[in-house]
């Protein structure tokens, strides 16, 4: 088969590789119908994720068709259309039993396109298939469910659920990239009063409005703290989400939150931030962090199926799977191409 | 002033009565601008609520203007536009401290138009004004907030919150009268997958669709249990709400719920129901009951203010306050007049 | 091997049967070291559980040693000392993913000694071994963990957790049999203010005191409602647990609970109860039911291991496994033998 | 009357001052029977709390007797024995209605001995008496309830409840001063598996054992992270509490916590800490901060009353109220006097 293979920092190729095969009785082999590229893949290519070995097939998001299953697999069978989730779950360790699949102790968690070969290929072996693949409900297109592999559950679980958005809440989302937009879209499931998007780029803020933000603040030109205080009687937002991954934006979040409020960190951080405990200790705030568990995937699938959630708006560019090298170029140059998510179809 | 006074079963008059005055330092006097009639008022008039004395002014829902406050009142002052809630809260007993105002131990709870004179009058004395009146946000009409005095928080707290509606849930609401519709409207704040309304009258089911039901079942002609099982893979609904108040409808709810699901009773019951513990003991279900606390009123006000919730659709008929005897006739004959809520303005 | 086999109502034999063998890759074979008898086994023998076929080996509680595992089993291996739980869990269906193993959709739930051969035998095949067996922490005796197979998690999950016992609560437990005592013992994990045991037999109430009850009421001679009201300022208990399984005791529970309180049904019921909605609708109560999920087993094992919980007090009589016919006699005649739980060792 | 008055950094006097009198109808005047000194009082005297004006009577903890009440006070009356809580609550603002009294918007929160005259005096005026004073249950001594004015609810709410200690949890408490000990004592209300105290002083660690710690680590000589990992299978503690107030101890807490665990900050911080988001973002942790709300005071009073909690062990030294200058000396020199809490009686 053909696969997108990582050969060290800056070096990737769409090239031939032998087909994957069942190793463990809980494995499945999935033919990739549709896949996409994640910001994390770009980080890997920059060499930021040293746990990725050379020779690794990248990619951790896909919709595909099961072509073979191990002897212990019960939930899916040959021919099933499935969502391949970015998180694999053994389903039997302490963490998996609590639905915290990201911390799986038996070799699950984020492994696809990281510790084992991933989904940017014609076929993928998916470990722990019963707890890591999800049947696509009948009648849904690949593109309707593709983004449930990663960004939708990430925004929902790590932003909305960790931040415990509640009806009437004022929610501020710092960073209007794909994950920030996923947080905005899914925050609306909890009836917030007002969603405020904060970003440095007007183009992203425009999109934030399309995805459900009621108000936007460009904090290159406006003082975000002042603006948020103005619309919240001087208290601050009930819930603030960090969807950038920088010390400055994290620290901004802790200034935007009201006493008793919640700061949910979604961003991937490479360096420490300053935590102003000298003011925060008395503010009764809650700060959460997290890698997505994808425990909400069944819920999100139901919502797409019922027509409550439409994630197709994330797809800005479409390619054939074998055009993936071009797709990477477009995705990596989002500033010019305005790419949010690219869709690659076999 | 003029007031609607109860003179025993079947006997009410719109007649003259002396103006109320401040008794306790926590009292306020409110001039009624807009009020309405509740199904409970009809029950009182049938003699079903023996705790109501003859001579009592009825009514427990209003929007008005504060004209006088006791010396300890801090939150409202003369001239403020306020919502008069059906529940009064002392704010300092064990229950009030937990937000369970309905069970207030110091003389609060449902007292207006019940144990003290109510809101179907030109003026009302409101005990515990600080914890029982709510400032109406600027720019909102009386009619936008009037139904937050009772039916909206009742549907929301006793139906949606007690039933813990969650994103993706299948919610079945048995009874599509005003409170059932309020439950349907506010269930949408939690991103349910599908709302199913069940009633005996097609006219009410049509309204249920307007208020947000995705599906309707007329259980005079269809088997509600079978239909719900069909659309839930044979499991039953995640959340079922009883909004009628009869043994049969309650028992239906316990058949509609899936294992592990929740039954929220909202209906006012006059007789016992049968609880089929021989089948329910093993089903891991939760059943809740409750009188509204109105602890969600600030949240609901924010949602109306932000344009997220529009309860004006409940108002089907409008009267002047002094036409209240006619308004009662129209409201009591809902089967012919199709009245949901009548609005009485001074 | 030898096994205790059900041959229809009233007819059981300790007799020879062929050894179990691995069927599915997720199975394990466990040699039984220690087992016990449950009240449910007596019900089966009375013919009350028609889903039990003739020829079935009874028993759903044991501590044993793994002798063989299927190819997909990861968590246990030959030689491991394990707790065999009364509930089997596929670990991958909607319910298992939520920890509600009792409602497993793939053939788990209560199956041992019910739908498949059970633990009152020399060997047992345990389906879904990874999610249904628990490693016994080093240094613990069989008897220290045996009762975690059923009654401890039943009292804890269905009584204490469903009833949400909180620090300071007044907890009333109706029924002081083994499961009621397990509820009393584990209620103490949540720092209750006072535990009141209610039963008809003084001998059982004495035991309730030994297991942690602060007060006892013999409701053959005393009015339990009056006594509970006396010690709760006329309000009622915060949490009430039903551990009998009769309509009268369930109805008593609904009278004992305070407004805003919780009634947790643990008892196995054979007939419906009357639910007095005409008084309960306005009391803001929560009623729960449930079969144990055993999702708390890891927690309970940790507590036994840390010396926080000592369930050995439940064992009143000891037998060799091949004396099981005698053990049944003693257990079935608890009124005279004072048996709580019998321990059968290989 | 006599009162302990702050005259600027380093300067306090026990001197004459006019008796307080009722200002607002919600005020009460309380005769101080027993009071104590808090670490915060020492901070004020160092000049660390610039919001304290010269001339202020210090102290925010007491047990006393009501001598006069304003016209709107309902819960207490002349002659009642009451606990004077460190937090005053208006009972009617958004925060008070949610039980977050520390953030009261109407002039409550921590005001006694801070923004209004405090309890180290013969009499104190207590604003919002109904929501800020608590009836002392009959039969309890002043000393049994005195520490419920501040350190017990602080340890319980900000440590145990914010950290959501659950049965079986491994709990690490960094800092074994009075508040850390209060956290240890009240953590036991939730049935933890193991409590580990970490401090630099063996004398404090010894006390930690007396208050309920199962294990102690002196982190001047031992590597706390290594030790905690050893006893938690390399994962870390479920709940970690910071009870010191320094950047280094806070950062230690974030290293001690397991993936998915909770860090509850109780300490009062004067400078920022470093938050290692580069490792924490992926660990699914929750960090909380907070000033005590004292919303748990009724629960703690019930537990003392039921004999479940005995805080008298905190009292190491006893003085007459007019010996308060000496008491300050003893308390301020804890390193030599071994003082935990001093008790001052009228």
């Amino acid at each position: 088969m053909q696969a997108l293979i990582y050969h060290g920092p800056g070096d990737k190729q769409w090239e031939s590789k032998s087909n994957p095969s069942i190793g463990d009785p809980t494995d499945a082999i999935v033919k990739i119908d549709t896949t996409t590229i994640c910001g994390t893949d770009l980080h890997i290519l920059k060499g930021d994720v040293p746990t990725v070995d050379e020779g690794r097939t990248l990619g951790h998001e896909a919709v595909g068709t099961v072509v073979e299953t191990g002897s212990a697999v019960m939930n899916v069978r040959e021919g099933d259309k499935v969502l391949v989730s970015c998180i694999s779950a053994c389903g039997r360790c302490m963490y998996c039993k609590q639905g915290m699949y990201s911390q799986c102790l038996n070799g699950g968690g984020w492994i696809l396109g990281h510790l084992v070969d991933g989904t940017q290929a014609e076929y993928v072996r998916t470990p722990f298939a019963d707890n890591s693949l999800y049947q696509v409900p009948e009648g849904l297109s690949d593109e309707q469910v593709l983004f449930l592999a990663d960004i939708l559950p990430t925004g929902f679980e790590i932003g909305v659920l960790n931040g415990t958005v509640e009806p009437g809440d004022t929610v501020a989302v710092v960073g209007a990239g794909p994950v920030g937009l996923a947080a905005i879209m899914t925050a609306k499931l909890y009836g917030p009063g007002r969603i405020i998007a904060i970003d440095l780029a007007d183009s992203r803020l425009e999109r934030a409005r399309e995805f459900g933000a009621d108000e936007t603040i460009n904090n290159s030109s406006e003082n975000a703290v002042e603006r948020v205080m103005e619309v919240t009687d001087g208290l601050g937002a009930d819930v603030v989400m960090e969807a950038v991954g920088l010390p400055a934006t994290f620290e901004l979040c802790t200034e935007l939150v009201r006493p008793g409020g919640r700061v949910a960190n979604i961003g991937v951080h490479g360096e420490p931030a300053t935590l102003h405990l000298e003011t925060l200790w008395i503010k009764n705030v809650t700060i959460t962090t997290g890698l997505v568990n994808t425990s909400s995937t069944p819920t999100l699938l139901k919502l797409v199926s019922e027509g409550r959630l439409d994630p197709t708006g994330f797809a800005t560019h479409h390619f054939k799977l074998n055009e993936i090298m071009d797709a990477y170029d477009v995705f990596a140059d989002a500033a010019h191409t305005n790419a949010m998510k690219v869709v690659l179809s076999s």
Side-chain angles (χ1 to χ4, degrees), chain A:
Chain A
M1 68 169 187
Q2 296 294 106
L4 195 282
I5 299 176
Y6 172 72
H7 290 293
D11 189 357
K12 64 176 185 298
Q13 292 301 329
W14 177 249
E15 64 192 23
S16 170
K17 185 167 188 169
S18 56
N19 275 20
S21 59
I22 296 289
D24 290 311
T26 50
D27 284 351
I29 305 298
V30 177
K31 182 188 159 297
I32 300 300
D33 297 322
T34 308
T35 186
T36 180
I37 306 171
C38 179
T40 307
D41 297 322
L42 302 182
H43 277 289
I44 293 171
L45 284 165
K46 281 187 198 132
D48 291 351
V49 189
T51 39
V52 178
D53 288 337
E54 299 188 14
R56 177 68 61 235
T57 302
L58 298 184
H60 51 265
E61 305 162 273
V63 177
T65 305
V66 175
V67 295
E68 195 185 346
T69 58
S71 61
V73 174
M74 286 175 66
N75 281 5
V76 296
R77 63 178 67 188
E78 201 192 319
D80 283 356
K81 187 73 155 184
V82 292
L83 173 70
V84 182
S85 173
C86 66
I87 297 292
S88 303
C90 82
R92 58 197 90 173
C93 72
M94 175 187 98
Y95 283 110
C96 284
K97 284 183 172 192
Q98 297 168 1
M100 199 175 269
Y101 308 136
S102 62
Q103 307 293 342
C104 176
L105 296 170
N106 285 333
W110 173 42
I111 56 169
L112 288 179
H114 176 208
L115 306 176
V116 304
D117 284 339
T119 58
Q120 293 168 3
E122 292 179 296
Y123 293 91
V124 66
R125 179 182 70 91
T126 57
F128 309 117
D130 273 339
N131 290 76
S132 313
L133 298 178
Y134 298 85
Q135 298 273 4
V136 174
E138 247 179 90
L140 297 188
S141 70
D142 288 15
E143 202 167 316
Q144 281 181 291
V145 299
L146 177 62
F147 307 122
L148 271 60
D150 185 340
I151 59 167
L152 261 288
T154 295
F156 184 53
E157 295 172 15
I158 307 308
V160 178
L161 294 181
N162 278 2
T164 56
V165 175
E166 287 173 7
D169 275 357
T170 295
V171 177
V173 178
V174 178
V179 166
L181 297 176
I184 289 171
M185 177 182 261
T186 54
K188 296 180 82 70
L189 293 170
Y190 280 95
R194 191 183 296 206
I195 299 176
I196 304 169
I198 300 168
D199 199 298
L200 297 165
D202 283 334
S203 59
R204 284 198 293 266
L205 290 171
E206 248 169 74
R207 265 186 188 150
R209 282 197 180 270
E210 290 163 30
F211 277 80
D214 302 290
E215 243 171 282
T216 58
I217 302 174
N218 185 320
N219 64 330
S220 70
S221 54
E222 295 179 271
N223 184 316
V225 175
E226 278 176 22
R227 274 285 305 282
V228 167
M229 292 302 155
E230 261 172 49
V231 299
T232 56
D233 298 321
L235 289 175
D238 300 291
V239 181
V240 185
M241 304 182 193
E242 206 280 350
V244 178
L246 294 172
T249 44
F250 178 81
E251 287 155 39
L252 173 60
C253 289
T254 62
E255 292 182 78
L256 293 172
V257 72
R258 70 161 170 84
R262 291 87 69 194
V263 173
N265 184 77
I266 322 177
V268 176
H269 290 259
E271 28 180 341
T274 301
L275 188 68
H276 287 285
L277 281 174
E278 76 280 16
T279 54
L280 290 170
W281 79 267
I282 203 168
K283 281 185 72 178
N284 298 60
V285 297
T286 300
I287 298 169
T288 55
T289 72
L291 177 65
V292 66
N293 296 306
T294 65
S295 54
S296 69
T297 303
T299 293
L300 294 172
L301 279 170
K302 223 187 293 181
L303 288 163
V304 173
S305 185
E306 296 282 3
R308 302 293 195 190
L309 209 60
D310 178 8
T312 56
F314 282 102
T316 52
H317 295 73
H318 293 80
F319 295 87
K320 299 301 281 179
L321 183 50
N322 60 18
E323 299 164 341
I324 191 165
M325 297 293 282
D326 298 335
Y328 260 95
D329 290 343
V330 165
F331 182 67
D333 192 24
H336 296 97
T337 61
N338 252 329
M340 260 197 301
K341 288 295 275 185
V342 300
V343 176
L344 296 143
S345 312
S346 68

